[in-house]
PDB file of all heavy atoms in Angstrom:
ATOM      1  N   GLU A  72     -27.812 121.320-108.898  1.00 64.00           N
ATOM      2  CA  GLU A  72     -26.655 122.006-108.254  1.00 64.00           C
ATOM      3  C   GLU A  72     -27.139 122.885-107.023  1.00 64.00           C
ATOM      4  O   GLU A  72     -26.474 122.947-106.016  1.00 64.00           O
ATOM      5  CB  GLU A  72     -25.919 122.856-109.250  1.00 64.00           C
ATOM      6  CG  GLU A  72     -25.046 121.970-110.203  1.00 64.00           C
ATOM      7  CD  GLU A  72     -24.444 122.811-111.270  1.00 64.00           C
ATOM      8  OE1 GLU A  72     -24.961 123.862-111.613  1.00 64.00           O
ATOM      9  OE2 GLU A  72     -23.374 122.350-111.800  1.00 64.00           O
ATOM     10  N   ILE A  73     -28.261 123.611-107.288  1.00 63.00           N
ATOM     11  CA  ILE A  73     -28.806 124.465-106.265  1.00 63.00           C
ATOM     12  C   ILE A  73     -29.250 123.581-105.049  1.00 63.00           C
ATOM     13  O   ILE A  73     -28.971 123.956-103.880  1.00 63.00           O
ATOM     14  CB  ILE A  73     -30.018 125.218-106.820  1.00 63.00           C
ATOM     15  CG1 ILE A  73     -29.498 126.304-107.794  1.00 63.00           C
ATOM     16  CG2 ILE A  73     -30.795 125.908-105.667  1.00 63.00           C
ATOM     17  CD1 ILE A  73     -30.559 127.002-108.560  1.00 63.00           C
ATOM     18  N   VAL A  74     -29.891 122.505-105.299  1.00 67.00           N
ATOM     19  CA  VAL A  74     -30.344 121.577-104.228  1.00 67.00           C
ATOM     20  C   VAL A  74     -29.125 121.003-103.436  1.00 67.00           C
ATOM     21  O   VAL A  74     -29.188 120.941-102.191  1.00 67.00           O
ATOM     22  CB  VAL A  74     -31.253 120.443-104.762  1.00 67.00           C
ATOM     23  CG1 VAL A  74     -31.415 119.388-103.736  1.00 67.00           C
ATOM     24  CG2 VAL A  74     -32.584 121.030-105.270  1.00 67.00           C
ATOM     25  N   GLU A  75     -28.090 120.627-104.183  1.00 72.00           N
ATOM     26  CA  GLU A  75     -26.900 120.061-103.508  1.00 72.00           C
ATOM     27  C   GLU A  75     -26.131 121.083-102.702  1.00 72.00           C
ATOM     28  O   GLU A  75     -25.522 120.799-101.692  1.00 72.00           O
ATOM     29  CB  GLU A  75     -25.982 119.479-104.637  1.00 72.00           C
ATOM     30  CG  GLU A  75     -26.473 118.170-105.222  1.00 72.00           C
ATOM     31  CD  GLU A  75     -25.655 117.676-106.343  1.00 72.00           C
ATOM     32  OE1 GLU A  75     -24.576 118.250-106.578  1.00 72.00           O
ATOM     33  OE2 GLU A  75     -26.167 116.851-107.119  1.00 72.00           O
ATOM     34  N   ASP A  76     -26.183 122.428-103.129  1.00 80.00           N
ATOM     35  CA  ASP A  76     -25.400 123.424-102.485  1.00 80.00           C
ATOM     36  C   ASP A  76     -26.296 124.582-102.049  1.00 80.00           C
ATOM     37  O   ASP A  76     -26.144 125.723-102.441  1.00 80.00           O
ATOM     38  CB  ASP A  76     -24.300 123.852-103.386  1.00 80.00           C
ATOM     39  CG  ASP A  76     -23.092 124.510-102.567  1.00 80.00           C
ATOM     40  OD1 ASP A  76     -23.077 124.267-101.350  1.00 80.00           O
ATOM     41  OD2 ASP A  76     -22.308 125.150-103.185  1.00 80.00           O
ATOM     42  N   VAL A  77     -27.276 124.275-101.262  1.00 87.00           N
ATOM     43  CA  VAL A  77     -28.290 125.275-100.799  1.00 87.00           C
ATOM     44  C   VAL A  77     -27.588 126.380-100.024  1.00 87.00           C
ATOM     45  O   VAL A  77     -26.595 126.156 -99.235  1.00 87.00           O
ATOM     46  CB  VAL A  77     -29.323 124.589 -99.919  1.00 87.00           C
ATOM     47  CG1 VAL A  77     -30.114 125.563 -99.073  1.00 87.00           C
ATOM     48  CG2 VAL A  77     -30.259 123.700-100.785  1.00 87.00           C
ATOM     49  N   ILE A  78     -28.070 127.627-100.188  1.00 90.00           N
ATOM     50  CA  ILE A  78     -27.566 128.759 -99.421  1.00 90.00           C
ATOM     51  C   ILE A  78     -28.366 128.822 -98.092  1.00 90.00           C
ATOM     52  O   ILE A  78     -29.589 128.942 -98.100  1.00 90.00           O
ATOM     53  CB  ILE A  78     -27.767 130.052-100.197  1.00 90.00           C
ATOM     54  CG1 ILE A  78     -26.819 130.037-101.420  1.00 90.00           C
ATOM     55  CG2 ILE A  78     -27.422 131.288 -99.317  1.00 90.00           C
ATOM     56  CD1 ILE A  78     -27.053 131.190-102.389  1.00 90.00           C
ATOM     57  N   PHE A  79     -27.641 128.743 -96.986  1.00 91.00           N
ATOM     58  CA  PHE A  79     -28.280 128.822 -95.632  1.00 91.00           C
ATOM     59  C   PHE A  79     -28.563 130.267 -95.181  1.00 91.00           C
ATOM     60  O   PHE A  79     -29.586 130.514 -94.625  1.00 91.00           O
ATOM     61  CB  PHE A  79     -27.396 128.127 -94.598  1.00 91.00           C
ATOM     62  CG  PHE A  79     -27.354 126.636 -94.758  1.00 91.00           C
ATOM     63  CD1 PHE A  79     -26.110 125.974 -94.664  1.00 91.00           C
ATOM     64  CD2 PHE A  79     -28.491 125.911 -94.901  1.00 91.00           C
ATOM     65  CE1 PHE A  79     -26.087 124.597 -94.853  1.00 91.00           C
ATOM     66  CE2 PHE A  79     -28.466 124.497 -94.955  1.00 91.00           C
ATOM     67  CZ  PHE A  79     -27.234 123.909 -94.922  1.00 91.00           C
ATOM     68  N   THR A  80     -27.701 131.142 -95.418  1.00 93.00           N
ATOM     69  CA  THR A  80     -27.822 132.565 -95.075  1.00 93.00           C
ATOM     70  C   THR A  80     -26.799 133.373 -95.894  1.00 93.00           C
ATOM     71  O   THR A  80     -25.922 132.870 -96.550  1.00 93.00           O
ATOM     72  CB  THR A  80     -27.649 132.786 -93.551  1.00 93.00           C
ATOM     73  OG1 THR A  80     -27.966 134.156 -93.225  1.00 93.00           O
ATOM     74  CG2 THR A  80     -26.215 132.559 -93.160  1.00 93.00           C
ATOM     75  N   PHE A  81     -26.946 134.694 -95.836  1.00 94.00           N
ATOM     76  CA  PHE A  81     -26.024 135.616 -96.568  1.00 94.00           C
ATOM     77  C   PHE A  81     -25.962 137.009 -95.834  1.00 94.00           C
ATOM     78  O   PHE A  81     -26.767 137.214 -94.956  1.00 94.00           O
ATOM     79  CB  PHE A  81     -26.512 135.781 -97.991  1.00 94.00           C
ATOM     80  CG  PHE A  81     -27.780 136.515 -98.141  1.00 94.00           C
ATOM     81  CD1 PHE A  81     -27.825 137.873 -98.377  1.00 94.00           C
ATOM     82  CD2 PHE A  81     -29.013 135.896 -98.086  1.00 94.00           C
ATOM     83  CE1 PHE A  81     -28.965 138.552 -98.458  1.00 94.00           C
ATOM     84  CE2 PHE A  81     -30.198 136.563 -98.200  1.00 94.00           C
ATOM     85  CZ  PHE A  81     -30.167 137.933 -98.374  1.00 94.00           C
ATOM     86  N   ALA A  82     -25.051 137.823 -96.305  1.00 94.00           N
ATOM     87  CA  ALA A  82     -24.996 139.192 -95.794  1.00 94.00           C
ATOM     88  C   ALA A  82     -24.438 140.102 -96.889  1.00 94.00           C
ATOM     89  O   ALA A  82     -23.744 139.620 -97.803  1.00 94.00           O
ATOM     90  CB  ALA A  82     -24.037 139.247 -94.568  1.00 94.00           C
ATOM     91  N   ILE A  83     -24.895 141.343 -96.859  1.00 94.00           N
ATOM     92  CA  ILE A  83     -24.421 142.319 -97.827  1.00 94.00           C
ATOM     93  C   ILE A  83     -23.508 143.299 -97.110  1.00 94.00           C
ATOM     94  O   ILE A  83     -23.725 143.687 -95.936  1.00 94.00           O
ATOM     95  CB  ILE A  83     -25.648 143.080 -98.466  1.00 94.00           C
ATOM     96  CG1 ILE A  83     -25.174 144.028 -99.579  1.00 94.00           C
ATOM     97  CG2 ILE A  83     -26.513 143.796 -97.475  1.00 94.00           C
ATOM     98  CD1 ILE A  83     -26.246 144.573-100.438  1.00 94.00           C
ATOM     99  N   SER A  84     -22.428 143.704 -97.871  1.00 93.00           N
ATOM    100  CA  SER A  84     -21.470 144.620 -97.231  1.00 93.00           C
ATOM    101  C   SER A  84     -22.088 146.036 -97.002  1.00 93.00           C
ATOM    102  O   SER A  84     -23.067 146.351 -97.675  1.00 93.00           O
ATOM    103  CB  SER A  84     -20.226 144.709 -98.119  1.00 93.00           C
ATOM    104  OG  SER A  84     -20.509 145.287 -99.358  1.00 93.00           O
ATOM    105  N   ASN A  85     -21.466 146.860 -96.147  1.00 90.00           N
ATOM    106  CA  ASN A  85     -22.023 148.101 -95.858  1.00 90.00           C
ATOM    107  C   ASN A  85     -21.875 149.099 -97.036  1.00 90.00           C
ATOM    108  O   ASN A  85     -22.712 150.049 -97.117  1.00 90.00           O
ATOM    109  CB  ASN A  85     -21.235 148.748 -94.664  1.00 90.00           C
ATOM    110  CG  ASN A  85     -21.473 147.896 -93.390  1.00 90.00           C
ATOM    111  OD1 ASN A  85     -22.559 147.872 -92.848  1.00 90.00           O
ATOM    112  ND2 ASN A  85     -20.421 147.198 -92.944  1.00 90.00           N
ATOM    113  N   LYS A  86     -20.984 148.885 -97.970  1.00 89.00           N
ATOM    114  CA  LYS A  86     -20.881 149.707 -99.151  1.00 89.00           C
ATOM    115  C   LYS A  86     -21.830 149.132-100.235  1.00 89.00           C
ATOM    116  O   LYS A  86     -22.058 149.800-101.282  1.00 89.00           O
ATOM    117  CB  LYS A  86     -19.445 149.657 -99.689  1.00 89.00           C
ATOM    118  CG  LYS A  86     -18.490 150.423 -98.759  1.00 89.00           C
ATOM    119  CD  LYS A  86     -17.084 150.279 -99.145  1.00 89.00           C
ATOM    120  CE  LYS A  86     -16.140 150.822 -98.169  1.00 89.00           C
ATOM    121  NZ  LYS A  86     -14.754 150.335 -98.408  1.00 89.00           N
ATOM    122  N   GLY A  87     -22.319 147.924-100.084  1.00 87.00           N
ATOM    123  CA  GLY A  87     -23.228 147.317-101.036  1.00 87.00           C
ATOM    124  C   GLY A  87     -22.530 146.713-102.267  1.00 87.00           C
ATOM    125  O   GLY A  87     -23.203 146.333-103.228  1.00 87.00           O
ATOM    126  N   THR A  88     -21.234 146.617-102.245  1.00 89.00           N
ATOM    127  CA  THR A  88     -20.510 146.135-103.408  1.00 89.00           C
ATOM    128  C   THR A  88     -20.339 144.582-103.354  1.00 89.00           C
ATOM    129  O   THR A  88     -19.956 143.983-104.376  1.00 89.00           O
ATOM    130  CB  THR A  88     -19.094 146.777-103.476  1.00 89.00           C
ATOM    131  OG1 THR A  88     -18.462 146.601-102.242  1.00 89.00           O
ATOM    132  CG2 THR A  88     -19.250 148.259-103.847  1.00 89.00           C
ATOM    133  N   SER A  89     -20.407 143.989-102.180  1.00 91.00           N
ATOM    134  CA  SER A  89     -20.149 142.540-102.061  1.00 91.00           C
ATOM    135  C   SER A  89     -21.278 141.860-101.260  1.00 91.00           C
ATOM    136  O   SER A  89     -21.950 142.437-100.437  1.00 91.00           O
ATOM    137  CB  SER A  89     -18.869 142.304-101.295  1.00 91.00           C
ATOM    138  OG  SER A  89     -17.768 142.914-101.984  1.00 91.00           O
ATOM    139  N   ILE A  90     -21.476 140.568-101.602  1.00 93.00           N
ATOM    140  CA  ILE A  90     -22.366 139.762-100.877  1.00 93.00           C
ATOM    141  C   ILE A  90     -21.675 138.473-100.491  1.00 93.00           C
ATOM    142  O   ILE A  90     -20.949 137.882-101.315  1.00 93.00           O
ATOM    143  CB  ILE A  90     -23.663 139.381-101.743  1.00 93.00           C
ATOM    144  CG1 ILE A  90     -24.383 140.648-102.134  1.00 93.00           C
ATOM    145  CG2 ILE A  90     -24.601 138.459-101.015  1.00 93.00           C
ATOM    146  CD1 ILE A  90     -25.462 140.418-103.280  1.00 93.00           C
ATOM    147  N   VAL A  91     -21.794 137.981 -99.262  1.00 94.00           N
ATOM    148  CA  VAL A  91     -21.215 136.798 -98.854  1.00 94.00           C
ATOM    149  C   VAL A  91     -22.335 135.796 -98.526  1.00 94.00           C
ATOM    150  O   VAL A  91     -23.350 136.136 -97.909  1.00 94.00           O
ATOM    151  CB  VAL A  91     -20.224 136.924 -97.644  1.00 94.00           C
ATOM    152  CG1 VAL A  91     -20.923 137.398 -96.403  1.00 94.00           C
ATOM    153  CG2 VAL A  91     -19.441 135.612 -97.411  1.00 94.00           C
ATOM    154  N   SER A  92     -22.171 134.480 -98.979  1.00 92.00           N
ATOM    155  CA  SER A  92     -23.200 133.569 -98.755  1.00 92.00           C
ATOM    156  C   SER A  92     -22.592 132.264 -98.186  1.00 92.00           C
ATOM    157  O   SER A  92     -21.478 131.927 -98.451  1.00 92.00           O
ATOM    158  CB  SER A  92     -23.942 133.187-100.061  1.00 92.00           C
ATOM    159  OG  SER A  92     -23.017 132.762-101.009  1.00 92.00           O
ATOM    160  N   ALA A  93     -23.334 131.550 -97.300  1.00 92.00           N
ATOM    161  CA  ALA A  93     -22.934 130.335 -96.629  1.00 92.00           C
ATOM    162  C   ALA A  93     -23.695 129.140 -97.232  1.00 92.00           C
ATOM    163  O   ALA A  93     -24.949 129.284 -97.350  1.00 92.00           O
ATOM    164  CB  ALA A  93     -23.156 130.390 -95.122  1.00 92.00           C
ATOM    165  N   HIS A  94     -22.999 128.112 -97.612  1.00 90.00           N
ATOM    166  CA  HIS A  94     -23.588 127.029 -98.385  1.00 90.00           C
ATOM    167  C   HIS A  94     -23.528 125.700 -97.648  1.00 90.00           C
ATOM    168  O   HIS A  94     -22.763 125.551 -96.709  1.00 90.00           O
ATOM    169  CB  HIS A  94     -22.824 126.847 -99.710  1.00 90.00           C
ATOM    170  CG  HIS A  94     -22.941 128.033-100.601  1.00 90.00           C
ATOM    171  ND1 HIS A  94     -23.763 128.057-101.752  1.00 90.00           N
ATOM    172  CD2 HIS A  94     -22.461 129.337-100.544  1.00 90.00           C
ATOM    173  CE1 HIS A  94     -23.687 129.235-102.339  1.00 90.00           C
ATOM    174  NE2 HIS A  94     -22.884 130.000-101.631  1.00 90.00           N
ATOM    175  N   ARG A  95     -24.438 124.810 -98.077  1.00 88.00           N
ATOM    176  CA  ARG A  95     -24.470 123.480 -97.481  1.00 88.00           C
ATOM    177  C   ARG A  95     -23.145 122.729 -97.591  1.00 88.00           C
ATOM    178  O   ARG A  95     -22.810 121.918 -96.663  1.00 88.00           O
ATOM    179  CB  ARG A  95     -25.604 122.651 -98.157  1.00 88.00           C
ATOM    180  CG  ARG A  95     -25.726 121.231 -97.644  1.00 88.00           C
ATOM    181  CD  ARG A  95     -26.801 120.452 -98.388  1.00 88.00           C
ATOM    182  NE  ARG A  95     -28.073 120.785 -97.899  1.00 88.00           N
ATOM    183  CZ  ARG A  95     -29.227 120.357 -98.534  1.00 88.00           C
ATOM    184  NH1 ARG A  95     -29.131 119.709 -99.674  1.00 88.00           N
ATOM    185  NH2 ARG A  95     -30.385 120.736 -98.016  1.00 88.00           N
ATOM    186  N   SER A  96     -22.424 123.022 -98.597  1.00 87.00           N
ATOM    187  CA  SER A  96     -21.134 122.289 -98.840  1.00 87.00           C
ATOM    188  C   SER A  96     -20.071 122.742 -97.873  1.00 87.00           C
ATOM    189  O   SER A  96     -18.957 122.231 -97.878  1.00 87.00           O
ATOM    190  CB  SER A  96     -20.616 122.590-100.286  1.00 87.00           C
ATOM    191  OG  SER A  96     -20.440 123.965-100.463  1.00 87.00           O
ATOM    192  N   GLY A  97     -20.361 123.727 -97.014  1.00 88.00           N
ATOM    193  CA  GLY A  97     -19.381 124.246 -96.006  1.00 88.00           C
ATOM    194  C   GLY A  97     -18.534 125.380 -96.618  1.00 88.00           C
ATOM    195  O   GLY A  97     -17.585 125.850 -96.046  1.00 88.00           O
ATOM    196  N   LEU A  98     -18.933 125.838 -97.795  1.00 90.00           N
ATOM    197  CA  LEU A  98     -18.154 126.913 -98.450  1.00 90.00           C
ATOM    198  C   LEU A  98     -18.794 128.286 -98.081  1.00 90.00           C
ATOM    199  O   LEU A  98     -19.959 128.450 -97.945  1.00 90.00           O
ATOM    200  CB  LEU A  98     -18.173 126.778 -99.979  1.00 90.00           C
ATOM    201  CG  LEU A  98     -17.376 125.667-100.562  1.00 90.00           C
ATOM    202  CD1 LEU A  98     -17.620 125.569-102.078  1.00 90.00           C
ATOM    203  CD2 LEU A  98     -15.846 125.802-100.290  1.00 90.00           C
ATOM    204  N   LEU A  99     -17.914 129.299 -98.015  1.00 92.00           N
ATOM    205  CA  LEU A  99     -18.371 130.741 -98.044  1.00 92.00           C
ATOM    206  C   LEU A  99     -18.007 131.241 -99.445  1.00 92.00           C
ATOM    207  O   LEU A  99     -16.882 131.096 -99.907  1.00 92.00           O
ATOM    208  CB  LEU A  99     -17.660 131.511 -96.971  1.00 92.00           C
ATOM    209  CG  LEU A  99     -18.133 131.350 -95.509  1.00 92.00           C
ATOM    210  CD1 LEU A  99     -17.292 132.254 -94.584  1.00 92.00           C
ATOM    211  CD2 LEU A  99     -19.588 131.737 -95.361  1.00 92.00           C
ATOM    212  N   LYS A 100     -18.985 131.903-100.093  1.00 92.00           N
ATOM    213  CA  LYS A 100     -18.738 132.506-101.401  1.00 92.00           C
ATOM    214  C   LYS A 100     -18.890 133.988-101.377  1.00 92.00           C
ATOM    215  O   LYS A 100     -19.893 134.479-100.759  1.00 92.00           O
ATOM    216  CB  LYS A 100     -19.685 131.905-102.436  1.00 92.00           C
ATOM    217  CG  LYS A 100     -19.441 130.436-102.711  1.00 92.00           C
ATOM    218  CD  LYS A 100     -20.386 129.948-103.827  1.00 92.00           C
ATOM    219  CE  LYS A 100     -20.120 128.413-104.027  1.00 92.00           C
ATOM    220  NZ  LYS A 100     -21.033 127.880-105.087  1.00 92.00           N
ATOM    221  N   LEU A 101     -17.928 134.693-101.914  1.00 92.00           N
ATOM    222  CA  LEU A 101     -18.022 136.147-101.967  1.00 92.00           C
ATOM    223  C   LEU A 101     -18.362 136.531-103.422  1.00 92.00           C
ATOM    224  O   LEU A 101     -17.728 136.224-104.367  1.00 92.00           O
ATOM    225  CB  LEU A 101     -16.652 136.745-101.596  1.00 92.00           C
ATOM    226  CG  LEU A 101     -16.621 138.264-101.303  1.00 92.00           C
ATOM    227  CD1 LEU A 101     -17.367 138.588-100.064  1.00 92.00           C
ATOM    228  CD2 LEU A 101     -15.192 138.788-101.201  1.00 92.00           C
ATOM    229  N   TRP A 102     -19.548 137.284-103.497  1.00 90.00           N
ATOM    230  CA  TRP A 102     -20.104 137.657-104.822  1.00 90.00           C
ATOM    231  C   TRP A 102     -19.850 139.157-105.032  1.00 90.00           C
ATOM    232  O   TRP A 102     -19.900 139.929-104.134  1.00 90.00           O
ATOM    233  CB  TRP A 102     -21.563 137.367-104.915  1.00 90.00           C
ATOM    234  CG  TRP A 102     -22.004 136.016-104.555  1.00 90.00           C
ATOM    235  CD1 TRP A 102     -22.133 135.427-103.329  1.00 90.00           C
ATOM    236  CD2 TRP A 102     -22.496 134.964-105.468  1.00 90.00           C
ATOM    237  NE1 TRP A 102     -22.515 134.149-103.447  1.00 90.00           N
ATOM    238  CE2 TRP A 102     -22.815 133.837-104.736  1.00 90.00           C
ATOM    239  CE3 TRP A 102     -22.672 134.925-106.880  1.00 90.00           C
ATOM    240  CZ2 TRP A 102     -23.271 132.700-105.266  1.00 90.00           C
ATOM    241  CZ3 TRP A 102     -23.071 133.791-107.430  1.00 90.00           C
ATOM    242  CH2 TRP A 102     -23.409 132.658-106.654  1.00 90.00           C
ATOM    243  N   ASN A 103     -19.636 139.499-106.317  1.00 86.00           N
ATOM    244  CA  ASN A 103     -19.672 140.903-106.697  1.00 86.00           C
ATOM    245  C   ASN A 103     -21.088 141.352-106.767  1.00 86.00           C
ATOM    246  O   ASN A 103     -21.934 140.745-107.482  1.00 86.00           O
ATOM    247  CB  ASN A 103     -19.009 141.055-108.108  1.00 86.00           C
ATOM    248  CG  ASN A 103     -18.870 142.501-108.496  1.00 86.00           C
ATOM    249  OD1 ASN A 103     -19.792 143.236-108.252  1.00 86.00           O
ATOM    250  ND2 ASN A 103     -17.754 142.867-109.056  1.00 86.00           N
ATOM    251  N   GLY A 104     -21.518 142.404-106.018  1.00 78.00           N
ATOM    252  CA  GLY A 104     -22.832 142.815-105.894  1.00 78.00           C
ATOM    253  C   GLY A 104     -23.441 143.455-107.236  1.00 78.00           C
ATOM    254  O   GLY A 104     -24.628 143.422-107.423  1.00 78.00           O
ATOM    255  N   GLU A 105     -22.575 143.986-108.038  1.00 78.00           N
ATOM    256  CA  GLU A 105     -22.978 144.673-109.250  1.00 78.00           C
ATOM    257  C   GLU A 105     -23.172 143.693-110.391  1.00 78.00           C
ATOM    258  O   GLU A 105     -24.180 143.690-111.128  1.00 78.00           O
ATOM    259  CB  GLU A 105     -22.012 145.753-109.669  1.00 78.00           C
ATOM    260  CG  GLU A 105     -22.010 146.897-108.689  1.00 78.00           C
ATOM    261  CD  GLU A 105     -20.788 147.831-108.761  1.00 78.00           C
ATOM    262  OE1 GLU A 105     -19.975 147.529-109.679  1.00 78.00           O
ATOM    263  OE2 GLU A 105     -20.656 148.762-107.943  1.00 78.00           O
ATOM    264  N   THR A 106     -22.175 142.831-110.621  1.00 78.00           N
ATOM    265  CA  THR A 106     -22.359 141.716-111.583  1.00 78.00           C
ATOM    266  C   THR A 106     -22.429 140.410-110.786  1.00 78.00           C
ATOM    267  O   THR A 106     -21.336 139.965-110.305  1.00 78.00           O
ATOM    268  CB  THR A 106     -21.130 141.699-112.539  1.00 78.00           C
ATOM    269  OG1 THR A 106     -19.954 141.468-111.748  1.00 78.00           O
ATOM    270  CG2 THR A 106     -20.961 142.952-113.316  1.00 78.00           C
ATOM    271  N   PRO A 107     -23.532 139.864-110.616  1.00 76.00           N
ATOM    272  CA  PRO A 107     -23.621 138.722-109.669  1.00 76.00           C
ATOM    273  C   PRO A 107     -22.798 137.460-110.085  1.00 76.00           C
ATOM    274  O   PRO A 107     -23.285 136.522-110.661  1.00 76.00           O
ATOM    275  CB  PRO A 107     -25.144 138.367-109.683  1.00 76.00           C
ATOM    276  CG  PRO A 107     -25.800 139.425-110.492  1.00 76.00           C
ATOM    277  CD  PRO A 107     -24.760 140.127-111.269  1.00 76.00           C
ATOM    278  N   THR A 108     -21.490 137.596-109.811  1.00 83.00           N
ATOM    279  CA  THR A 108     -20.550 136.527-110.081  1.00 83.00           C
ATOM    280  C   THR A 108     -19.742 136.206-108.848  1.00 83.00           C
ATOM    281  O   THR A 108     -19.475 137.114-108.075  1.00 83.00           O
ATOM    282  CB  THR A 108     -19.585 136.873-111.275  1.00 83.00           C
ATOM    283  OG1 THR A 108     -19.052 138.112-111.030  1.00 83.00           O
ATOM    284  CG2 THR A 108     -20.395 136.938-112.608  1.00 83.00           C
ATOM    285  N   VAL A 109     -19.295 134.995-108.748  1.00 87.00           N
ATOM    286  CA  VAL A 109     -18.461 134.604-107.583  1.00 87.00           C
ATOM    287  C   VAL A 109     -17.026 135.156-107.778  1.00 87.00           C
ATOM    288  O   VAL A 109     -16.461 134.869-108.821  1.00 87.00           O
ATOM    289  CB  VAL A 109     -18.424 133.080-107.395  1.00 87.00           C
ATOM    290  CG1 VAL A 109     -17.520 132.679-106.293  1.00 87.00           C
ATOM    291  CG2 VAL A 109     -19.851 132.530-107.118  1.00 87.00           C
ATOM    292  N   GLN A 110     -16.565 135.906-106.764  1.00 89.00           N
ATOM    293  CA  GLN A 110     -15.159 136.363-106.905  1.00 89.00           C
ATOM    294  C   GLN A 110     -14.176 135.444-106.206  1.00 89.00           C
ATOM    295  O   GLN A 110     -13.156 135.137-106.685  1.00 89.00           O
ATOM    296  CB  GLN A 110     -15.114 137.788-106.246  1.00 89.00           C
ATOM    297  CG  GLN A 110     -15.787 138.859-107.088  1.00 89.00           C
ATOM    298  CD  GLN A 110     -15.732 140.219-106.419  1.00 89.00           C
ATOM    299  OE1 GLN A 110     -15.995 140.302-105.235  1.00 89.00           O
ATOM    300  NE2 GLN A 110     -15.309 141.206-107.162  1.00 89.00           N
ATOM    301  N   LYS A 111     -14.629 135.085-104.989  1.00 90.00           N
ATOM    302  CA  LYS A 111     -13.772 134.122-104.124  1.00 90.00           C
ATOM    303  C   LYS A 111     -14.625 133.193-103.419  1.00 90.00           C
ATOM    304  O   LYS A 111     -15.858 133.441-103.179  1.00 90.00           O
ATOM    305  CB  LYS A 111     -13.021 135.044-103.103  1.00 90.00           C
ATOM    306  CG  LYS A 111     -12.018 135.971-103.775  1.00 90.00           C
ATOM    307  CD  LYS A 111     -11.499 137.011-102.734  1.00 90.00           C
ATOM    308  CE  LYS A 111     -10.546 138.001-103.463  1.00 90.00           C
ATOM    309  NZ  LYS A 111     -10.118 139.038-102.599  1.00 90.00           N
TER     310      LYS A 111
END
Side-chain angles (χ1 to χ4, degrees):
E72 285 174 334
I73 288 168
V74 169
E75 283 170 18
D76 203 15
V77 164
I78 294 173
F79 288 131
T80 187
F81 67 94
I83 184 169
S84 64
N85 295 291
K86 292 173 187 165
T88 53
S89 301
I90 300 166
V91 64
S92 57
H94 296 254
R95 178 183 280 170
S96 59
L98 290 174
L99 283 179
K100 292 184 182 179
L101 193 68
W102 305 76
N103 184 318
E105 292 164 4
T106 59
T108 51
V109 177
Q110 290 180 311
K111 295 168 183 175

